[in-house]
Amino acid sequence: MATLETAAKGEQLLETTLHFTRESLVRYAGASGDFNPIHYRDDIAVEVGLPGVLAHGMLTMGAAIQPVIELLGDPGRVVDYQVRFTRPVLVDASEGADVQIVATVGEEAGDDGIGRIDLTVSFADKTVLTKAQVRAKFTA
């Protein structure tokens, strides 16, 4: 895989899979204060018309950028991060959920050293975050 300093637009920087469990959701609920029961109770999720327990959107968003931050080596190099939530991530009680992350160079760094990394974030072969874009300093 290419490095930030040498990668051209469209080159893949990383590919990884994140695994969410019900425990992940409970831990995130505690940290965020979002105790909406659709994130931990199947009966409530079904009662409101959902197919099952969903991961918090902000958990998915936050977890999706973590591999990029590791690639950058410093979270301070992130200038901007935006996503649009497209589909939920269903977290099975026993199997959990695997979320795939692919990061590519969306825009090479300009004179200011800032470029764009585009993320493809999917679950069960469907995109869950669109326009997931990280603007970051490509050099330390």
Side-chain angles (χ1 to χ4, degrees), residues 3-7 13 68 71-79 107-117 135-140:
T3 64
L4 277 175
E5 292 79 17
T6 61
L13 298 170
V68 173
L71 176 72
L72 293 168
D74 177 3
R77 290 171 64 184
V78 175
V79 176
E107 180 182 298
E108 294 176 36
D111 292 339
D112 60 359
I114 296 172
R116 192 185 78 224
I117 300 168
R135 295 191 57 75
K137 295 178 184 173
F138 278 16
T139 56

Side-chain angles (χ1 to χ4, degrees), residues 4 7-13 103-109 115-119 132-135 138:
L4 277 175
K9 181 177 178 177
E11 284 192 58
Q12 185 173 319
L13 298 170
T104 57
V105 175
E107 180 182 298
E108 294 176 36
R116 192 185 78 224
I117 300 168
D118 295 342
L119 302 178
Q133 299 177 336
V134 182
R135 295 191 57 75
F138 278 16

Side-chain angles (χ1 to χ4, degrees), residues 38-88:
I38 65 169
H39 300 301
Y40 59 90
R41 286 187 50 184
D42 288 300
D43 61 328
I44 299 294
V46 170
E47 187 177 302
V48 299
L50 299 171
V53 166
L54 310 178
H56 303 72
M58 294 301 288
L59 170 61
T60 305
M61 179 183 178
I65 194 175
Q66 189 57 42
V68 173
I69 290 173
E70 291 171 14
L71 176 72
L72 293 168
D74 177 3
R77 290 171 64 184
V78 175
V79 176
D80 185 56
Y81 177 43
Q82 299 182 21
V83 305
R84 289 188 182 165
F85 300 100
T86 309
R87 290 185 181 85

